Every structure is written in structure tokens, then in C-alpha cells.
């Protein structure tokens, strides 16, 4: 995930000002030196920064610094000077005759950072958990929006950061590590960027450092002692992903790559390192999911920067070339299933009032915005790739990376590169997907078959609801064990098709490989945790056998984004009131009709439950099974069975991370089973009966 999206409005404003200042040729900044001392017990940062300006520099130098910082002195060429301050802006006037030597501006300051870090975080869509800057004995995190150093409007040619912390506390930030030394009861490290980026973050903690060099790139892990054994796994995986992406896009753009542990849950992708929370870094799948996603951001988002004036393309692209591409490399089926999950998540999580055009996506703030920026964005890149082919698609990405490294790129830049690579102007194809909310709703209509001289003739139409989109959708006829595909260029409300097959047709499937973005209908959606998260009307029903405490149940609802959902006792439940609601059932209800039809592999038993003939009767065991409510089409019911309050508490806040699944089993808080039930059908499939 790209870092600190919530501060983008301010970032875009400063970016526009930066371009304007550069165009006017104002103060030219050659170099910046930043030295900070961290005192965790006092939550204190003491800093000194020297900015080296071009000879003869005059006029006004504008710096941004945390408005709560105490500025002790600002000196120009060694002499104290007056300055103006407004909020986070420091204005330093450069007076006097310039000389042939570079001019130097030094800022000395102190600031406390003590944002409360979450003990048991519940809300997962705010990647910062409200923490901008925290200096604590547990760990240190200073985000690029914390104002922990005086940031000039115009980037310096080079930048060096020296961090001094108590002995045993190691620090890391952007750039190449020049030096690291423990001495005099402190630990000092120095980092230098050959090509500074817009904003830098800093982390520190009682890290165990493991390092290696791969293809001239320094790789590090900065992990807490309890997770230090994971170092080799993360180093090996990082080396593989760096080589993989360098082979596709071009050379890695930074001096190092590091996997750094944070003392509260995060998933940040910073220039040259990723910052992952300790509870997250231990999850076995992170090395195959979040890690490659953040490494992809080194090329897309941190290497090639984002021109946010046209929206944020980087999350969709990172999702496509990491999360999706790695699934696709396993098999075509895995890639198809991943794309289907994108569509299912969008349909489940993006309500009518939550939708907005992809071109307005800046960063995720809730499940709906994530589905738009990450999911719909990835599908747009997929549709472009399918339209122009792999050679043109990846060739265009290499061109953008070559031409736009460390420069902001927009959606227009991508459309232009794809158009040049393919020889086709893709502007009219891409525009509707960027500038309209939602997407097409497609179904099969009037599908019939009959014998003719060549075999069997299958006819029908693709019916489209809503606005027209420029797309060709595949219609597949399955006959005699073979699939026969026809691309239908959808136009208007209904587009006919006719396909001749040599054997008796068995099924007709719309978009069988999930190659287009479309809005799935309720009947096409599998019952999953995301259906619960995206429910517009959820009610929690507590039965006499509910194994979770009221507090844990409330935490679970909050983590699912359903903190306002009513919680009622089964004996007080009104059947008519629940008829049109999605349900979260804590325990097996006694009232007929409330319990949904569970998957065949799930059995609720006295003192426990069974899944796939495996009995779970230990106190730490928990089951969550989501199923459709046949009596309420389009609604789901989730059954939560906990063998003890402790088992429920251990697993409750983890369930939200398994949104794509509908059957989950946890033991002592560790996941044992995760499955996605099949959808029951829909109008995208027509089956012929013999």
C-alpha cells in the first residue's frame, strides 16, 4: 500500500506549488543534511538540518515543519536570522550579497511525537490507525506527514540523514546506509539518497539486523527479536521478487531494499523499504501477498511517481503486477479465480452511495474505496493487456518506467504509452472506465439451441443494463468436452450472437475467464465474509449458546465495518423484522428459519462442530460459516460458533482479513480452514438439459 494516502490533498497542493516554484527558477537547493536524536522515554526528537543552497541564492526559502515543533534557531551562513512562521510553514529571507560559495541555512528544533498506537486495532482501512508520529520505548514511527524534519518546497540534489538513538535501538529511513555504529550508550546510523524523494519516513526499534547483497543491491531485515527467525525467509523472497520485477520493468531504482517491522499493524511501501506490523509479518501468507505488492511499489508509486491530479493509478497497477500476476503464474485458473474475487468484492462492498469513478481514487479509506482503486484499477489494466497483448502491454510499462523514473506520471501517460505500443488510440476505450462510476451489468438472454446441417446452432443475446461501455465479451459454448468461444462486441441494450458447435451443447457461459470488469448480480456472488462487511442491513442475533462475550461480538462487528449494526437476543427477535436483513448468528438458533442451510461439510454438534469430518471440540476452536438465505434472496447469514469466550476473543479481529472466504475455522486464534463456497448460479450461465 502506498504510504499515507490520507494526506494527499495537502500533498497535491504542495506539488502544484513545487512545480510553480521550479518554473520560476527560485532558490536552488543542492544538498540537505538532517541529524536527529531520539529520546523514546520523553517522546522527544531533537534535530538540526543544514540546507546547502546554490551560490548567490537570494529571496525566500520556504520550509515545512511540524507546527508543534519548537524552533530554537535558524542561521544563514552561520549567523542567526529572523524568520516568519505560519502553521507548518517557516519562511526564511535570504538577505545580503551572495558569494561564490554555496549558502547554508541551518535549522535547530525540538518536537515531541506521541500519537497513541493501537493496542488491539479494530479499524483496518485507515492504514495509519491515526498515527502520524510516535516516539516510544516500544518503537518509533515518524511518517512523511509528521513534519519531523524541515522539508523544503524543492527537493535537494542529495540528502543525508543521521539518526542517533539509545543503545540497542536501530533506525532506518530512505536511502543507502553509509554508516552504523554503537558507541557511548547510543546507536548512530547515517543514510544517504542519491535521488531524494518527496517525503521520507523514519522507523526505529530494538531490531535484529540481518543483511545480504544481491545483484549489487543491499537487502536488510530489521525485525524485533521475537520475529528475527523470519529474516532468511523474507530476504530470500525479496531477492526473488526484485529479480523478477527487474526482468519485467527495468533496474531496481533504489540503493537498498529492507523489510522493517513496526510496533503496530501497518503495511506501508516506502521508497527502498516496506514497514509491516509485527502481528502481520508473522502471518505465513504475507511473504507471498503483501511483500511482492510493496516491492512492486518500488517501481510503481515510489519509482515512477503518481500525478494525483488524475487519480492514483499505482494501487491498481501494483495489485495487477503483484497480487494478480503471481496468481496467474501459478495457473490460468488461479488468475481467473483472482479476477473473479475482484468482481465479487466490488459487488459485495461497493454500495450505490459508495461508488465513484476510478479517476477520482486517491487512496483507500474504507472497503468500498479499496475495491475501486485496487480492484477495478487492476481490472482496467487487465482489459488493456487483453486488448493489446502481452508484448505491447509490458513494453509500454518498460517505456513509462524508463521515461518517468522519479517523475510524476498520470493516467494520460499510461494511455499514451499503451497507444504507442499497440498502434491503436486507446483514449476512447479507457475513458469510460476512468470517468464513470460502476460498470456494465451483463446477462445472457433468450439462449436456445437447435440442430442444423453443421451440427448445433446456439443463439441468444448479451443483454446490458446501464450505460454502454466499449467492450468485447467472450461467450463460450461447452460441447463434447470442448469450449467454443465467440467475442461479442456489446452495443446497446441487447447484442445477438450465433455460435455453431459440432456436438450437443451443454452450457453457455458469459465471460468464462473473467476478462472484463462488470457488476456481478446477487445470484453470482458466493456467500463470503465480504458479503457481511458490505451488508447495508446487518443484524447480529445472540442465541443462548453464543460462545462469545458481548464485548468480543461488538469488536468483531466493528472490525467488519458494522459497528452500528443492532445486536438483539434471539428470544426478542421479530421474524418479520429479520426477513429482509443479513444476519450474524452467534450460536445455533433455536427458532426455525433463522439457521441457514450450511455447507454439507459443516456440522454443528453438542460441545463443538465438525468440518470435513474433522471434529473441533477444544476450547480455542471457532467456526464462521456464511451461507445464503433461501427465504430472503440476495441476503446472507453468518453462523459464528465459539467453543469458549477465549477462543472467540483470539480469532475475532482476524476474521475481517479473510473477506474472500465463507468458511473459516480457527484454533487458538490460528487459521485452520479457509474456503470459498460456490455461487449458486445466475444469468451468466445457461445449462441445457438433455
Amino acid at each position: 500500500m502506498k504510504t499515507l494516502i490520507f494526506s494527499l490533498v495537502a500533498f497535491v497542493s504542495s506539488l502544484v506549488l513545487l512545480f510553480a516554484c521550479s518554473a520560476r527558477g527560485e532558490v536552488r537547493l543542492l544538498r540537505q543534511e538532517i541529524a536527529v536524536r531520539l529520546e523514546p522515554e520523553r517522546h522527544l526528537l531533537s534535530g538540526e538540518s543544514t540546507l546547502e543552497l546554490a551560490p548567490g541564492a537570494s529571496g525566500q526559502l520556504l520550509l515545512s515543519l511540524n507546527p508543534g515543533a519548537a524552533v530554537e534557531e535558524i542561521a544563514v551562513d552561520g549567523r542567526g536570522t529572523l524568520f516568519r512562521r505560519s502553521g507548518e510553514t517557516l519562511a526564511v529571507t535570504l538577505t545580503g550579497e551572495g558569494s561564490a560559495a554555496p549558502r547554508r541555512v541551518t535549522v535547530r528544533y525540538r518536537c515531541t511525537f506521541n500519537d497513541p498506537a493501537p493496542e488491539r486495532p479494530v479499524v483496518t482501512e485507515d492504514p495509519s490507525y491515526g498515527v502520524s508520529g510516535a516516539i516510544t520505548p516500544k518503537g518509533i514511527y515518524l511518517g512523511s506527514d509528521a513534519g519531523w524534519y524541515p522539508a523544503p518546497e524543492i527537493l535537494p540534489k542529495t540528502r543525508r540523514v543521521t539518526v542517533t538513538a539509545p543503545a540497542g535501538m536501530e533506525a532506518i529511513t530512505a536511502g543507502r546506509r553509509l554508516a552504523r555504529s554503537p558507541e557511548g550508550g547510543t546507536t548512530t546510523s547515517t543514510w544517504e539518497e542519491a535521488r531524494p524523494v518527496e517525503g521520507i519516513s523514519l522507523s526505529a526499534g530494538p531490531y535484529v539486523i540481518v543483511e545480504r547483497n544481491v545483484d549489487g543491491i543491499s537487502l536488510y531485515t530489521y525485525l524485533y527479536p521475537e520475529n528475527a527467525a523470519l529474516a532468511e525467509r523474507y530476504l530470500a523472497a525479496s531477492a526473488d521478487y526484485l529479480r523478477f520485477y527487474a526482468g519485467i520493468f527495468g533496474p531496481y531504482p533504489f540503493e537498498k531494499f529492507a523489510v522493517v517491522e513496526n510496533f503496530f499493524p501497518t503495511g506501508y511501501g516506502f521508497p527502498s523499504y516496506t514497514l509491516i506490523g509485527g502481528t502481520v509479518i508473522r502471518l505465513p501468507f504475507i511473504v507471498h501477498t503483501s511483500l511482492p505488492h510493496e516491492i512492486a511499489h518500488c517501481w510503481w508509486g515510489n519509482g515512477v511517481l503518481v500525478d494525483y491530479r488524475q487519480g492514483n493509478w499505482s494501487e491498481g497497477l501494483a495489485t495487477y503486477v503483484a497480487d494478480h500476476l503471481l496468481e496467474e503464474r501459478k495457473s490460468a485458473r488461479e488468475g481467473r479465480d483472482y479476477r473473479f474475487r475482484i468482481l465479487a468484492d466490488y459487488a459485495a462492498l461497493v454500495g450505490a452511495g459508495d461508488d465513484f469513478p476510478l479517476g477520482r481514487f486517491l487512496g483507500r479509506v474504507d472497503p468500498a474505496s479499496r475495491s475501486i482503486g485496487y480492484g477495478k484499477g487492476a481490472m482496467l489494466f487487465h482489459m488493456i493487456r487483453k486488448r493489446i497483448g502481452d508484448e505491447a502491454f509490458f513494453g509500454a510499462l518498460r517505456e513509462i518506467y524508463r521515461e518517468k523514473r522519479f517523475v510524476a506520471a498520470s493516467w494520460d501517460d499510461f494511455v499514451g504509452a499503451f497507444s504507442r505500443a499497440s498502434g491503436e488510440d486507446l483514449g476512447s476505450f479507457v475513458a469510460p472506465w476512468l470517468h464513470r462510476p460502476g460498470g456494465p451489468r451483463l446477462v445472457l438472454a433468450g439462449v436456445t439451441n437447435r440442430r442444423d446441417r453443421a451440427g448445433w446452432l446456439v443463439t441468444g443475446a448479451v443483454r446490458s443494463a446501464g450505460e454502454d461501455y466499449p467492450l468485447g465479451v467472450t461467450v463460450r459454448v461447452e460441447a463434447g468436452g470442448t469450449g467454443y468461444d465467440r467475442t461479442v462486441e456489446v452495443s446497446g441494450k441487447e447484442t445477438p450472437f450465433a455460435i455453431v458447435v459440432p456436438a450437443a451443447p451443454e452450457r453457455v457461459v458469459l465471460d468464462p475467464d473473467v476478462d472484463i470488469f462488470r457488476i456481478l448480480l446477487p445470484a453470482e456472488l458466493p456467500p463470503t465474509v465480504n458479503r457481511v462487511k458490505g451488508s447495508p442491513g446487518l443484524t447480529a442475533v445472540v442465541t443462548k449458546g453464543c460462545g462469545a462475550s458481548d464485548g468480543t461480538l461488538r469488536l468483531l462487528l466493528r472490525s467488519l465495518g458494522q459497528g452500528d449494526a443492532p445486536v438483539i437476543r434471539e428470544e426478542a427477535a421479530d421474524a418479520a423484522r429479520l426477513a429482509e436483513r443479513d444476519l450474524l448468528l452467534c450460536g445455533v438458533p433455536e427458532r426455525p428459519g433463522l439457521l441457514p442451510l450450511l455447507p454439507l461439510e459443516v456440522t454443528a454438534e453438542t460441545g463443538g462442530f465438525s468440518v470435513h469430518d474433522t471434529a473441533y471440540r477444544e476450547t480455542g476452536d471457532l467456526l464462521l460459516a456464511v451461507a445464503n438465505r433461501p427465504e430472503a434472496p440476495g441476503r446472507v447469514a453468518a453462523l459464528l460458533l465459539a467453543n469458549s469466550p477465549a477462543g472467540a476473543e483470539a480469532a475475532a479481529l482476524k476474521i475481517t482479513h479473510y473477506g474472500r472466504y465463507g468458511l473459516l475455522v480457527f484454533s487458538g486464534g490460528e487459521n485452520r480452514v479457509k474456503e470459498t463456497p460456490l455461487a449458486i448460479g445466475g444469468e451468466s450461465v445457461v445449462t441445457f438439459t438433455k
Side-chain angles (χ1 to χ4, degrees), residues 73-82:
E73 183 186 32
I74 296 182
V76 176
D77 296 331
R79 296 187 297 272
T81 187
L82 298 177

PDB file of all heavy atoms in Angstrom, residues 73-82:
ATOM      1  N   GLU A  73      16.648  27.886  16.664  1.00  0.00           N
ATOM      2  CA  GLU A  73      17.454  28.862  15.934  1.00  0.00           C
ATOM      3  C   GLU A  73      17.411  28.544  14.446  1.00  0.00           C
ATOM      4  O   GLU A  73      17.348  27.378  14.036  1.00  0.00           O
ATOM      5  CB  GLU A  73      18.915  28.831  16.412  1.00  0.00           C
ATOM      6  CG  GLU A  73      19.789  29.886  15.717  1.00  0.00           C
ATOM      7  CD  GLU A  73      21.256  29.760  16.066  1.00  0.00           C
ATOM      8  OE1 GLU A  73      21.720  28.619  16.298  1.00  0.00           O
ATOM      9  OE2 GLU A  73      21.948  30.789  16.088  1.00  0.00           O
ATOM     10  N   ILE A  74      17.418  29.599  13.659  1.00  0.00           N
ATOM     11  CA  ILE A  74      17.656  29.476  12.224  1.00  0.00           C
ATOM     12  C   ILE A  74      18.811  30.407  11.885  1.00  0.00           C
ATOM     13  O   ILE A  74      18.787  31.599  12.218  1.00  0.00           O
ATOM     14  CB  ILE A  74      16.407  29.829  11.395  1.00  0.00           C
ATOM     15  CG1 ILE A  74      15.279  28.822  11.682  1.00  0.00           C
ATOM     16  CG2 ILE A  74      16.746  29.846   9.899  1.00  0.00           C
ATOM     17  CD1 ILE A  74      14.018  29.061  10.863  1.00  0.00           C
ATOM     18  N   ALA A  75      19.828  29.849  11.252  1.00  0.00           N
ATOM     19  CA  ALA A  75      21.013  30.629  10.898  1.00  0.00           C
ATOM     20  C   ALA A  75      21.239  30.578   9.399  1.00  0.00           C
ATOM     21  O   ALA A  75      21.029  29.534   8.762  1.00  0.00           O
ATOM     22  CB  ALA A  75      22.239  30.099  11.639  1.00  0.00           C
ATOM     23  N   VAL A  76      21.665  31.711   8.833  1.00  0.00           N
ATOM     24  CA  VAL A  76      22.029  31.793   7.419  1.00  0.00           C
ATOM     25  C   VAL A  76      23.518  32.118   7.352  1.00  0.00           C
ATOM     26  O   VAL A  76      23.960  33.147   7.894  1.00  0.00           O
ATOM     27  CB  VAL A  76      21.201  32.860   6.676  1.00  0.00           C
ATOM     28  CG1 VAL A  76      21.670  32.981   5.230  1.00  0.00           C
ATOM     29  CG2 VAL A  76      19.720  32.532   6.734  1.00  0.00           C
ATOM     30  N   ASP A  77      24.266  31.234   6.748  1.00  0.00           N
ATOM     31  CA  ASP A  77      25.720  31.393   6.629  1.00  0.00           C
ATOM     32  C   ASP A  77      26.366  31.621   7.998  1.00  0.00           C
ATOM     33  O   ASP A  77      27.261  32.461   8.174  1.00  0.00           O
ATOM     34  CB  ASP A  77      26.069  32.542   5.681  1.00  0.00           C
ATOM     35  CG  ASP A  77      25.593  32.266   4.258  1.00  0.00           C
ATOM     36  OD1 ASP A  77      25.525  31.079   3.884  1.00  0.00           O
ATOM     37  OD2 ASP A  77      25.264  33.229   3.547  1.00  0.00           O
ATOM     38  N   GLY A  78      25.856  30.867   9.000  1.00  0.00           N
ATOM     39  CA  GLY A  78      26.447  30.906  10.330  1.00  0.00           C
ATOM     40  C   GLY A  78      25.941  32.015  11.222  1.00  0.00           C
ATOM     41  O   GLY A  78      26.341  32.094  12.394  1.00  0.00           O
ATOM     42  N   ARG A  79      25.080  32.892  10.741  1.00  0.00           N
ATOM     43  CA  ARG A  79      24.564  33.988  11.551  1.00  0.00           C
ATOM     44  C   ARG A  79      23.064  33.808  11.764  1.00  0.00           C
ATOM     45  O   ARG A  79      22.318  33.554  10.811  1.00  0.00           O
ATOM     46  CB  ARG A  79      24.843  35.336  10.880  1.00  0.00           C
ATOM     47  CG  ARG A  79      26.332  35.662  10.747  1.00  0.00           C
ATOM     48  CD  ARG A  79      26.528  37.088  10.239  1.00  0.00           C
ATOM     49  NE  ARG A  79      25.971  37.253   8.909  1.00  0.00           N
ATOM     50  CZ  ARG A  79      26.629  37.008   7.780  1.00  0.00           C
ATOM     51  NH1 ARG A  79      27.881  36.557   7.835  1.00  0.00           N
ATOM     52  NH2 ARG A  79      26.064  37.205   6.621  1.00  0.00           N
ATOM     53  N   GLY A  80      22.647  33.948  13.023  1.00  0.00           N
ATOM     54  CA  GLY A  80      21.230  33.835  13.332  1.00  0.00           C
ATOM     55  C   GLY A  80      20.418  34.857  12.559  1.00  0.00           C
ATOM     56  O   GLY A  80      20.880  35.985  12.317  1.00  0.00           O
ATOM     57  N   THR A  81      19.220  34.480  12.170  1.00  0.00           N
ATOM     58  CA  THR A  81      18.383  35.374  11.376  1.00  0.00           C
ATOM     59  C   THR A  81      16.943  35.262  11.827  1.00  0.00           C
ATOM     60  O   THR A  81      16.532  34.260  12.427  1.00  0.00           O
ATOM     61  CB  THR A  81      18.495  35.031   9.876  1.00  0.00           C
ATOM     62  OG1 THR A  81      17.802  36.013   9.114  1.00  0.00           O
ATOM     63  CG2 THR A  81      17.883  33.666   9.592  1.00  0.00           C
ATOM     64  N   LEU A  82      16.184  36.286  11.532  1.00  0.00           N
ATOM     65  CA  LEU A  82      14.761  36.258  11.820  1.00  0.00           C
ATOM     66  C   LEU A  82      14.036  35.440  10.752  1.00  0.00           C
ATOM     67  O   LEU A  82      14.514  35.305   9.617  1.00  0.00           O
ATOM     68  CB  LEU A  82      14.203  37.683  11.871  1.00  0.00           C
ATOM     69  CG  LEU A  82      14.782  38.601  12.961  1.00  0.00           C
ATOM     70  CD1 LEU A  82      14.189  40.006  12.836  1.00  0.00           C
ATOM     71  CD2 LEU A  82      14.494  38.025  14.336  1.00  0.00           C
TER      72      LEU A  82
END
